[in-house]
Amino acid sequence: MNNLKKLWQKQLKLFLPKSFAGSDTDLLSRFQAVSARESLVMMTAALVIGLICGIFAVALNWSVHSLRLFITELELGWRAIFFPALGAGIAVFLVRSIIRDSAAHGVSDVIKAIAMGSETLKRRMIHSRFIGSLLTVGSGGSTGLEGPIVSIGGAIGSALGRYIDMNERHKKLLVGYGAAGAVAGIFNAPLTGLIFSLEIIIGEWTYLTILPTIIAAVSATEISRFLMGNKIAFYQEIAGFSITSLLACFVLGALTGVISILFARSLQFWEKTFSKISHIFWLRAAIGGLAVGTIGFFMPEVLSEGYATTQSFLTDIIRPELGFVLLFVLLKFLACGITLGSGGIGGVFAPSLVIGSGVGLAFGMILHLLPLDGVAEDAAFALAGMAGMVAGVMHGPLTGIFLVMESTRGYSMILPLMLTASSAMVISSFFEKGSVYTQALIKQGSLIRRGTDRYLLHHLNIVDILDKDFITIREDLLLKDFVDEFKKSHRNYFPVLNNEQQCVGVVFLDDIRPHLFDTSLYELVTMGSVMRSLPVINLHEPISAALNKFETSKAWSLPVVEGEKFLGMLSKSTLFDHYRRELQIQEI
């Protein structure tokens, strides 16, 4: 098996070069930078990732709903309040203590991997997020499956990239393909998967991001439809939308924008609150689950994802009263904050949709109490509210718009969805720096603004741009013996290694040139006496840190190590050449 893997990696490296071709004088350099061979490999990888993500999305969705149905049919009365505590506690114990993974909200990890390096997405996240969300949401935790499935998709893409030994840029793209496949599979919505990945995860709209992402989203959707049928999440029939209703969408957008700000801040509040209760992660989650179970005893609709309640909001026959809707929004708001703040494993995608539908429905009901003409039906505002909450919470207006359109087949709602989502986005981004996914990353300094020089440099991986065509020498090598080595070299530097093959310095031609013409020194001077002691670059440190070492040392080439093992040399010229070519790729 290992021999087959090595053979595949060797053939892939020949077929897909790690450096991108192109020169300033060649008119076709932009097209050479993303070659047909590269596109073929990435599209094939996207197809594989999409199929796997589709299977995982269906399996997670079916497992959670089966567990939820089983618990509901037990009819245990007040004793059912303990199930969310039991599920959350076991889930966090397994993930934290047994699998030894973090229990973050999911999407933040994927965004961080795109910004800082795909190695942060470990393979164990595939089963840890599956098991964790299954137990948390299936037992009644008031959260969603979309965050965990995005983590699973990103981890699948990262694992595949490592398995076939792709460079860092390609591995990051595979992470984005996995996110697209995951969202498309869980929602049966390929366009939403595409937009979500490009807008929130990858952040690039280029030839090499769009086409393979489409393939991943479509393949995951087809697997989902093959296994579960071509179902939509919510059924609705909207008759029409007047000018009055369109103007009202601006108000609804502002309202959902404010609520999305409160929602994001409530998560931070509950995280701080539960961190003071106990330092034991699973105990926190169990306490939070007990609180949610208690809320759910009085209003069962707040438990789990809440999509059934959203469907009732869109159905005229069983439409609830205004008081119930407002109470549901409040309790769902609290239950979701407690679930996630206490450490429960899930995401904010589903709560955003469900809370948004309640806010929109209540908004429509209140409008009908006012002396206004031509107000659209309440369900129309429920749909608009869903888009507004998604846009405000995630800072992804396009994702909110296309998600509602695809999950309801409400394509006639495009104008109100656009107005509501854009208004919510303006309000939320004005008061909040970053989305619910990126606020913590911004505070940690782990988020790099897309389109900046630093962001482009992070696409480069040190291992992909190492110089290895040089001659190494020993520190006890005499000058007379160095002359023979110098004649065979094509470089003006010579790494000096000790007996343990560790780099202890570098001899530069400029430093030793004065001694070359004094033969009396041939038997006296050793390389250890003329070498420079330079800072070393760690293989896994960011390119920005490597640039700082170039500036402080004033050297043009620096040794690269992994631990204490010497790997090669990194030169400024090679680094800037790859940076220039990365700029070419961004322009395609």
Side-chain angles (χ1 to χ4, degrees), residues 153-199:
I156 290 171
S158 178
L160 179 62
R162 290 195 296 270
Y163 179 79
I164 57 181
D165 196 26
M166 285 189 165
N167 66 21
E168 183 59 21
R169 174 173 173 78
H170 290 144
K171 284 188 284 189
K172 289 180 179 180
L173 291 175
L174 294 186
V175 170
Y177 305 158
V183 171
I186 201 76
F187 279 116
N188 185 24
L191 190 55
T192 300
L194 169 68
I195 297 299
F196 172 81
S197 182
L198 297 180
E199 182 181 40

mmCIF file of all heavy atoms in Angstrom, residues 153-199:
data_model
loop_
_atom_site.group_PDB
_atom_site.id
_atom_site.type_symbol
_atom_site.label_atom_id
_atom_site.label_comp_id
_atom_site.label_asym_id
_atom_site.label_seq_id
_atom_site.Cartn_x
_atom_site.Cartn_y
_atom_site.Cartn_z
ATOM 1 N N GLY A 153 -16.074 18.179 6.056
ATOM 2 C CA GLY A 153 -15.705 18.356 4.658
ATOM 3 C C GLY A 153 -14.328 18.962 4.492
ATOM 4 O O GLY A 153 -13.531 18.529 3.648
ATOM 5 N N GLY A 154 -14.017 19.990 5.305
ATOM 6 C CA GLY A 154 -12.693 20.592 5.239
ATOM 7 C C GLY A 154 -11.605 19.619 5.620
ATOM 8 O O GLY A 154 -10.530 19.584 5.001
ATOM 9 N N ALA A 155 -11.858 18.805 6.664
ATOM 10 C CA ALA A 155 -10.867 17.815 7.096
ATOM 11 C C ALA A 155 -10.664 16.733 6.036
ATOM 12 O O ALA A 155 -9.545 16.248 5.843
ATOM 13 C CB ALA A 155 -11.302 17.178 8.418
ATOM 14 N N ILE A 156 -11.724 16.359 5.340
ATOM 15 C CA ILE A 156 -11.603 15.388 4.244
ATOM 16 C C ILE A 156 -10.718 15.946 3.134
ATOM 17 O O ILE A 156 -9.827 15.267 2.615
ATOM 18 C CB ILE A 156 -12.995 15.018 3.701
ATOM 19 C CG1 ILE A 156 -13.763 14.187 4.725
ATOM 20 C CG2 ILE A 156 -12.883 14.248 2.381
ATOM 21 C CD1 ILE A 156 -15.215 13.953 4.376
ATOM 22 N N GLY A 157 -10.946 17.209 2.767
ATOM 23 C CA GLY A 157 -10.121 17.839 1.734
ATOM 24 C C GLY A 157 -8.670 17.941 2.148
ATOM 25 O O GLY A 157 -7.758 17.656 1.353
ATOM 26 N N SER A 158 -8.428 18.329 3.407
ATOM 27 C CA SER A 158 -7.064 18.443 3.901
ATOM 28 C C SER A 158 -6.375 17.079 3.926
ATOM 29 O O SER A 158 -5.197 16.956 3.560
ATOM 30 C CB SER A 158 -7.072 19.060 5.299
ATOM 31 O OG SER A 158 -5.772 19.145 5.828
ATOM 32 N N ALA A 159 -7.096 16.049 4.372
ATOM 33 C CA ALA A 159 -6.517 14.703 4.449
ATOM 34 C C ALA A 159 -6.153 14.183 3.061
ATOM 35 O O ALA A 159 -5.095 13.563 2.878
ATOM 36 C CB ALA A 159 -7.497 13.754 5.134
ATOM 37 N N LEU A 160 -7.014 14.435 2.092
ATOM 38 C CA LEU A 160 -6.713 13.997 0.724
ATOM 39 C C LEU A 160 -5.493 14.722 0.182
ATOM 40 O O LEU A 160 -4.632 14.113 -0.474
ATOM 41 C CB LEU A 160 -7.921 14.236 -0.182
ATOM 42 C CG LEU A 160 -7.741 13.836 -1.652
ATOM 43 C CD1 LEU A 160 -7.466 12.334 -1.773
ATOM 44 C CD2 LEU A 160 -8.957 14.227 -2.482
ATOM 45 N N GLY A 161 -5.400 16.026 0.454
ATOM 46 C CA GLY A 161 -4.244 16.792 -0.005
ATOM 47 C C GLY A 161 -2.943 16.284 0.586
ATOM 48 O O GLY A 161 -1.917 16.217 -0.094
ATOM 49 N N ARG A 162 -2.969 15.911 1.875
ATOM 50 C CA ARG A 162 -1.766 15.366 2.501
ATOM 51 C C ARG A 162 -1.452 13.970 1.966
ATOM 52 O O ARG A 162 -0.278 13.620 1.798
ATOM 53 C CB ARG A 162 -1.941 15.321 4.024
ATOM 54 C CG ARG A 162 -1.945 16.674 4.693
ATOM 55 C CD ARG A 162 -1.761 16.557 6.199
ATOM 56 N NE ARG A 162 -2.854 15.850 6.826
ATOM 57 C CZ ARG A 162 -3.958 16.427 7.301
ATOM 58 N NH1 ARG A 162 -4.108 17.725 7.170
ATOM 59 N NH2 ARG A 162 -4.899 15.703 7.879
ATOM 60 N N TYR A 163 -2.480 13.194 1.703
ATOM 61 C CA TYR A 163 -2.263 11.818 1.248
ATOM 62 C C TYR A 163 -1.557 11.789 -0.108
ATOM 63 O O TYR A 163 -0.662 10.967 -0.334
ATOM 64 C CB TYR A 163 -3.605 11.095 1.151
ATOM 65 C CG TYR A 163 -3.488 9.670 0.665
ATOM 66 C CD1 TYR A 163 -3.084 8.654 1.527
ATOM 67 C CD2 TYR A 163 -3.762 9.340 -0.662
ATOM 68 C CE1 TYR A 163 -2.966 7.343 1.093
ATOM 69 C CE2 TYR A 163 -3.639 8.041 -1.114
ATOM 70 C CZ TYR A 163 -3.243 7.048 -0.230
ATOM 71 O OH TYR A 163 -3.121 5.757 -0.674
ATOM 72 N N ILE A 164 -1.959 12.676 -1.011
ATOM 73 C CA ILE A 164 -1.337 12.685 -2.337
ATOM 74 C C ILE A 164 -0.223 13.724 -2.430
ATOM 75 O O ILE A 164 0.278 14.009 -3.519
ATOM 76 C CB ILE A 164 -2.379 12.918 -3.449
ATOM 77 C CG1 ILE A 164 -3.145 14.226 -3.238
ATOM 78 C CG2 ILE A 164 -3.356 11.754 -3.513
ATOM 79 C CD1 ILE A 164 -4.210 14.498 -4.292
ATOM 80 N N ASP A 165 0.155 14.290 -1.263
ATOM 81 C CA ASP A 165 1.328 15.152 -1.166
ATOM 82 C C ASP A 165 1.236 16.371 -2.077
ATOM 83 O O ASP A 165 2.174 16.691 -2.817
ATOM 84 C CB ASP A 165 2.597 14.353 -1.493
ATOM 85 C CG ASP A 165 3.854 15.085 -1.020
ATOM 86 O OD1 ASP A 165 3.739 15.870 -0.069
ATOM 87 O OD2 ASP A 165 4.928 14.868 -1.608
ATOM 88 N N MET A 166 0.117 17.084 -2.016
ATOM 89 C CA MET A 166 -0.023 18.336 -2.759
ATOM 90 C C MET A 166 0.659 19.473 -2.015
ATOM 91 O O MET A 166 0.936 19.367 -0.815
ATOM 92 C CB MET A 166 -1.506 18.667 -2.961
ATOM 93 C CG MET A 166 -2.196 17.824 -4.019
ATOM 94 S SD MET A 166 -3.850 18.450 -4.354
ATOM 95 C CE MET A 166 -4.213 17.594 -5.883
ATOM 96 N N ASN A 167 0.917 20.562 -2.722
ATOM 97 C CA ASN A 167 1.506 21.706 -2.039
ATOM 98 C C ASN A 167 0.434 22.441 -1.243
ATOM 99 O O ASN A 167 -0.755 22.138 -1.326
ATOM 100 C CB ASN A 167 2.222 22.636 -3.021
ATOM 101 C CG ASN A 167 1.272 23.296 -4.002
ATOM 102 O OD1 ASN A 167 0.081 23.402 -3.771
ATOM 103 N ND2 ASN A 167 1.803 23.735 -5.120
ATOM 104 N N GLU A 168 0.854 23.422 -0.467
ATOM 105 C CA GLU A 168 -0.052 24.046 0.491
ATOM 106 C C GLU A 168 -1.203 24.772 -0.187
ATOM 107 O O GLU A 168 -2.339 24.726 0.284
ATOM 108 C CB GLU A 168 0.723 25.024 1.380
ATOM 109 C CG GLU A 168 -0.109 25.677 2.472
ATOM 110 C CD GLU A 168 -0.734 24.685 3.432
ATOM 111 O OE1 GLU A 168 -0.238 23.543 3.536
ATOM 112 O OE2 GLU A 168 -1.741 25.036 4.083
ATOM 113 N N ARG A 169 -0.932 25.429 -1.288
ATOM 114 C CA ARG A 169 -2.016 26.131 -1.980
ATOM 115 C C ARG A 169 -3.096 25.155 -2.434
ATOM 116 O O ARG A 169 -4.293 25.403 -2.267
ATOM 117 C CB ARG A 169 -1.480 26.913 -3.184
ATOM 118 C CG ARG A 169 -2.599 27.531 -4.020
ATOM 119 C CD ARG A 169 -2.081 28.443 -5.109
ATOM 120 N NE ARG A 169 -3.165 28.863 -5.974
ATOM 121 C CZ ARG A 169 -4.055 29.812 -5.669
ATOM 122 N NH1 ARG A 169 -3.977 30.420 -4.512
ATOM 123 N NH2 ARG A 169 -5.004 30.143 -6.509
ATOM 124 N N HIS A 170 -2.675 24.041 -3.001
ATOM 125 C CA HIS A 170 -3.645 23.051 -3.468
ATOM 126 C C HIS A 170 -4.412 22.444 -2.304
ATOM 127 O O HIS A 170 -5.625 22.201 -2.404
ATOM 128 C CB HIS A 170 -2.929 21.962 -4.261
ATOM 129 C CG HIS A 170 -2.403 22.434 -5.583
ATOM 130 N ND1 HIS A 170 -1.227 21.985 -6.116
ATOM 131 C CD2 HIS A 170 -2.896 23.322 -6.465
ATOM 132 C CE1 HIS A 170 -1.011 22.578 -7.280
ATOM 133 N NE2 HIS A 170 -2.021 23.397 -7.507
ATOM 134 N N LYS A 171 -3.730 22.206 -1.179
ATOM 135 C CA LYS A 171 -4.410 21.630 -0.027
ATOM 136 C C LYS A 171 -5.468 22.589 0.516
ATOM 137 O O LYS A 171 -6.546 22.165 0.929
ATOM 138 C CB LYS A 171 -3.393 21.268 1.063
ATOM 139 C CG LYS A 171 -2.614 19.999 0.758
ATOM 140 C CD LYS A 171 -1.767 19.549 1.932
ATOM 141 C CE LYS A 171 -0.530 20.393 2.080
ATOM 142 N NZ LYS A 171 0.418 19.830 3.083
ATOM 143 N N LYS A 172 -5.180 23.873 0.507
ATOM 144 C CA LYS A 172 -6.169 24.850 0.955
ATOM 145 C C LYS A 172 -7.385 24.869 0.036
ATOM 146 O O LYS A 172 -8.531 25.006 0.497
ATOM 147 C CB LYS A 172 -5.539 26.242 1.030
ATOM 148 C CG LYS A 172 -4.551 26.414 2.170
ATOM 149 C CD LYS A 172 -3.970 27.812 2.173
ATOM 150 C CE LYS A 172 -2.997 28.006 3.332
ATOM 151 N NZ LYS A 172 -2.405 29.366 3.353
ATOM 152 N N LEU A 173 -7.148 24.726 -1.254
ATOM 153 C CA LEU A 173 -8.264 24.673 -2.193
ATOM 154 C C LEU A 173 -9.122 23.430 -1.946
ATOM 155 O O LEU A 173 -10.354 23.492 -2.011
ATOM 156 C CB LEU A 173 -7.753 24.692 -3.638
ATOM 157 C CG LEU A 173 -7.121 25.997 -4.102
ATOM 158 C CD1 LEU A 173 -6.544 25.836 -5.499
ATOM 159 C CD2 LEU A 173 -8.130 27.130 -4.080
ATOM 160 N N LEU A 174 -8.484 22.313 -1.651
ATOM 161 C CA LEU A 174 -9.235 21.093 -1.366
ATOM 162 C C LEU A 174 -10.093 21.259 -0.111
ATOM 163 O O LEU A 174 -11.195 20.706 -0.026
ATOM 164 C CB LEU A 174 -8.280 19.907 -1.189
ATOM 165 C CG LEU A 174 -7.483 19.471 -2.423
ATOM 166 C CD1 LEU A 174 -6.702 18.202 -2.109
ATOM 167 C CD2 LEU A 174 -8.385 19.247 -3.618
ATOM 168 N N VAL A 175 -9.605 22.013 0.859
ATOM 169 C CA VAL A 175 -10.404 22.313 2.047
ATOM 170 C C VAL A 175 -11.675 23.063 1.647
ATOM 171 O O VAL A 175 -12.778 22.766 2.128
ATOM 172 C CB VAL A 175 -9.584 23.140 3.058
ATOM 173 C CG1 VAL A 175 -10.478 23.672 4.175
ATOM 174 C CG2 VAL A 175 -8.453 22.306 3.642
ATOM 175 N N GLY A 176 -11.517 24.035 0.753
ATOM 176 C CA GLY A 176 -12.676 24.787 0.275
ATOM 177 C C GLY A 176 -13.654 23.917 -0.496
ATOM 178 O O GLY A 176 -14.879 24.052 -0.361
ATOM 179 N N TYR A 177 -13.133 22.990 -1.302
ATOM 180 C CA TYR A 177 -14.013 22.070 -2.033
ATOM 181 C C TYR A 177 -14.805 21.210 -1.049
ATOM 182 O O TYR A 177 -16.000 20.939 -1.266
ATOM 183 C CB TYR A 177 -13.205 21.153 -2.949
ATOM 184 C CG TYR A 177 -12.292 21.854 -3.935
ATOM 185 C CD1 TYR A 177 -11.204 21.181 -4.496
ATOM 186 C CD2 TYR A 177 -12.501 23.175 -4.296
ATOM 187 C CE1 TYR A 177 -10.360 21.807 -5.391
ATOM 188 C CE2 TYR A 177 -11.648 23.810 -5.187
ATOM 189 C CZ TYR A 177 -10.576 23.123 -5.741
ATOM 190 O OH TYR A 177 -9.727 23.739 -6.626
ATOM 191 N N GLY A 178 -14.148 20.774 0.025
ATOM 192 C CA GLY A 178 -14.824 19.960 1.029
ATOM 193 C C GLY A 178 -15.945 20.729 1.713
ATOM 194 O O GLY A 178 -17.024 20.177 1.968
ATOM 195 N N ALA A 179 -15.718 22.002 2.001
ATOM 196 C CA ALA A 179 -16.757 22.824 2.620
ATOM 197 C C ALA A 179 -17.957 22.971 1.696
ATOM 198 O O ALA A 179 -19.114 22.902 2.124
ATOM 199 C CB ALA A 179 -16.187 24.196 2.980
ATOM 200 N N ALA A 180 -17.687 23.178 0.409
ATOM 201 C CA ALA A 180 -18.779 23.308 -0.565
ATOM 202 C C ALA A 180 -19.587 22.026 -0.665
ATOM 203 O O ALA A 180 -20.824 22.046 -0.669
ATOM 204 C CB ALA A 180 -18.209 23.679 -1.935
ATOM 205 N N GLY A 181 -18.899 20.888 -0.742
ATOM 206 C CA GLY A 181 -19.593 19.615 -0.817
ATOM 207 C C GLY A 181 -20.418 19.335 0.425
ATOM 208 O O GLY A 181 -21.525 18.801 0.342
ATOM 209 N N ALA A 182 -19.898 19.716 1.587
ATOM 210 C CA ALA A 182 -20.605 19.468 2.842
ATOM 211 C C ALA A 182 -21.908 20.254 2.905
ATOM 212 O O ALA A 182 -22.962 19.709 3.237
ATOM 213 C CB ALA A 182 -19.698 19.841 4.021
ATOM 214 N N VAL A 183 -21.850 21.548 2.598
ATOM 215 C CA VAL A 183 -23.051 22.387 2.644
ATOM 216 C C VAL A 183 -24.050 21.954 1.576
ATOM 217 O O VAL A 183 -25.261 21.875 1.831
ATOM 218 C CB VAL A 183 -22.675 23.877 2.469
ATOM 219 C CG1 VAL A 183 -23.919 24.736 2.300
ATOM 220 C CG2 VAL A 183 -21.868 24.355 3.672
ATOM 221 N N ALA A 184 -23.561 21.671 0.380
ATOM 222 C CA ALA A 184 -24.454 21.234 -0.694
ATOM 223 C C ALA A 184 -25.147 19.930 -0.331
ATOM 224 O O ALA A 184 -26.348 19.749 -0.592
ATOM 225 C CB ALA A 184 -23.665 21.079 -1.995
ATOM 226 N N GLY A 185 -24.405 19.000 0.273
ATOM 227 C CA GLY A 185 -24.981 17.712 0.630
ATOM 228 C C GLY A 185 -25.996 17.802 1.746
ATOM 229 O O GLY A 185 -27.034 17.132 1.711
ATOM 230 N N ILE A 186 -25.744 18.621 2.754
ATOM 231 C CA ILE A 186 -26.642 18.694 3.915
ATOM 232 C C ILE A 186 -27.916 19.449 3.578
ATOM 233 O O ILE A 186 -28.986 19.174 4.131
ATOM 234 C CB ILE A 186 -25.923 19.354 5.115
ATOM 235 C CG1 ILE A 186 -26.611 18.970 6.439
ATOM 236 C CG2 ILE A 186 -25.858 20.855 4.968
ATOM 237 C CD1 ILE A 186 -26.300 17.594 6.903
ATOM 238 N N PHE A 187 -27.848 20.423 2.645
ATOM 239 C CA PHE A 187 -29.020 21.214 2.286
ATOM 240 C C PHE A 187 -29.661 20.783 0.966
ATOM 241 O O PHE A 187 -30.705 21.324 0.598
ATOM 242 C CB PHE A 187 -28.641 22.703 2.167
ATOM 243 C CG PHE A 187 -28.562 23.417 3.480
ATOM 244 C CD1 PHE A 187 -27.357 23.938 3.920
ATOM 245 C CD2 PHE A 187 -29.675 23.582 4.285
ATOM 246 C CE1 PHE A 187 -27.264 24.617 5.123
ATOM 247 C CE2 PHE A 187 -29.593 24.259 5.487
ATOM 248 C CZ PHE A 187 -28.385 24.772 5.908
ATOM 249 N N ASN A 188 -29.029 19.838 0.238
ATOM 250 C CA ASN A 188 -29.491 19.507 -1.113
ATOM 251 C C ASN A 188 -29.546 20.777 -1.968
ATOM 252 O O ASN A 188 -30.515 21.050 -2.671
ATOM 253 C CB ASN A 188 -30.872 18.834 -1.062
ATOM 254 C CG ASN A 188 -31.339 18.354 -2.433
ATOM 255 O OD1 ASN A 188 -30.533 18.098 -3.327
ATOM 256 N ND2 ASN A 188 -32.644 18.246 -2.614
ATOM 257 N N ALA A 189 -28.476 21.562 -1.888
ATOM 258 C CA ALA A 189 -28.447 22.883 -2.518
ATOM 259 C C ALA A 189 -27.048 23.148 -3.077
ATOM 260 O O ALA A 189 -26.200 23.710 -2.382
ATOM 261 C CB ALA A 189 -28.827 23.955 -1.502
ATOM 262 N N PRO A 190 -26.780 22.749 -4.324
ATOM 263 C CA PRO A 190 -25.422 22.897 -4.873
ATOM 264 C C PRO A 190 -24.969 24.343 -5.024
ATOM 265 O O PRO A 190 -23.809 24.660 -4.778
ATOM 266 C CB PRO A 190 -25.522 22.203 -6.236
ATOM 267 C CG PRO A 190 -26.974 22.217 -6.575
ATOM 268 C CD PRO A 190 -27.696 22.106 -5.265
ATOM 269 N N LEU A 191 -25.880 25.228 -5.418
ATOM 270 C CA LEU A 191 -25.497 26.629 -5.600
ATOM 271 C C LEU A 191 -25.130 27.269 -4.265
ATOM 272 O O LEU A 191 -24.174 28.049 -4.183
ATOM 273 C CB LEU A 191 -26.642 27.399 -6.265
ATOM 274 C CG LEU A 191 -26.325 28.819 -6.744
ATOM 275 C CD1 LEU A 191 -25.128 28.823 -7.688
ATOM 276 C CD2 LEU A 191 -27.545 29.441 -7.418
ATOM 277 N N THR A 192 -25.850 26.900 -3.213
ATOM 278 C CA THR A 192 -25.522 27.420 -1.880
ATOM 279 C C THR A 192 -24.149 26.938 -1.430
ATOM 280 O O THR A 192 -23.366 27.694 -0.848
ATOM 281 C CB THR A 192 -26.585 26.977 -0.865
ATOM 282 O OG1 THR A 192 -27.853 27.477 -1.280
ATOM 283 C CG2 THR A 192 -26.262 27.499 0.519
ATOM 284 N N GLY A 193 -23.853 25.657 -1.694
ATOM 285 C CA GLY A 193 -22.533 25.141 -1.351
ATOM 286 C C GLY A 193 -21.429 25.892 -2.060
ATOM 287 O O GLY A 193 -20.392 26.224 -1.459
ATOM 288 N N LEU A 194 -21.636 26.180 -3.339
ATOM 289 C CA LEU A 194 -20.656 26.937 -4.123
ATOM 290 C C LEU A 194 -20.459 28.332 -3.539
ATOM 291 O O LEU A 194 -19.325 28.763 -3.283
ATOM 292 C CB LEU A 194 -21.125 27.018 -5.579
ATOM 293 C CG LEU A 194 -20.364 27.983 -6.491
ATOM 294 C CD1 LEU A 194 -18.947 27.490 -6.735
ATOM 295 C CD2 LEU A 194 -21.102 28.179 -7.810
ATOM 296 N N ILE A 195 -21.553 29.053 -3.328
ATOM 297 C CA ILE A 195 -21.468 30.430 -2.850
ATOM 298 C C ILE A 195 -20.877 30.482 -1.443
ATOM 299 O O ILE A 195 -20.037 31.332 -1.134
ATOM 300 C CB ILE A 195 -22.863 31.088 -2.867
ATOM 301 C CG1 ILE A 195 -23.410 31.158 -4.300
ATOM 302 C CG2 ILE A 195 -22.798 32.477 -2.265
ATOM 303 C CD1 ILE A 195 -22.574 31.965 -5.259
ATOM 304 N N PHE A 196 -21.297 29.579 -0.567
ATOM 305 C CA PHE A 196 -20.778 29.553 0.798
ATOM 306 C C PHE A 196 -19.260 29.376 0.805
ATOM 307 O O PHE A 196 -18.543 30.083 1.521
ATOM 308 C CB PHE A 196 -21.446 28.419 1.580
ATOM 309 C CG PHE A 196 -20.859 28.185 2.935
ATOM 310 C CD1 PHE A 196 -21.218 28.975 4.012
ATOM 311 C CD2 PHE A 196 -19.936 27.167 3.151
ATOM 312 C CE1 PHE A 196 -20.671 28.766 5.271
ATOM 313 C CE2 PHE A 196 -19.387 26.945 4.400
ATOM 314 C CZ PHE A 196 -19.759 27.750 5.464
ATOM 315 N N SER A 197 -18.773 28.443 0.018
ATOM 316 C CA SER A 197 -17.337 28.178 0.006
ATOM 317 C C SER A 197 -16.558 29.365 -0.549
ATOM 318 O O SER A 197 -15.527 29.761 0.005
ATOM 319 C CB SER A 197 -17.056 26.924 -0.822
ATOM 320 O OG SER A 197 -15.684 26.625 -0.815
ATOM 321 N N LEU A 198 -17.050 29.952 -1.634
ATOM 322 C CA LEU A 198 -16.325 31.055 -2.266
ATOM 323 C C LEU A 198 -16.413 32.332 -1.444
ATOM 324 O O LEU A 198 -15.445 33.091 -1.356
ATOM 325 C CB LEU A 198 -16.865 31.300 -3.677
ATOM 326 C CG LEU A 198 -16.698 30.160 -4.686
ATOM 327 C CD1 LEU A 198 -17.279 30.549 -6.031
ATOM 328 C CD2 LEU A 198 -15.229 29.784 -4.848
ATOM 329 N N GLU A 199 -17.572 32.580 -0.832
ATOM 330 C CA GLU A 199 -17.781 33.842 -0.121
ATOM 331 C C GLU A 199 -17.198 33.825 1.283
ATOM 332 O O GLU A 199 -16.581 34.811 1.718
ATOM 333 C CB GLU A 199 -19.284 34.137 -0.050
ATOM 334 C CG GLU A 199 -19.625 35.448 0.636
ATOM 335 C CD GLU A 199 -21.113 35.701 0.707
ATOM 336 O OE1 GLU A 199 -21.878 34.748 0.970
ATOM 337 O OE2 GLU A 199 -21.529 36.853 0.502
#
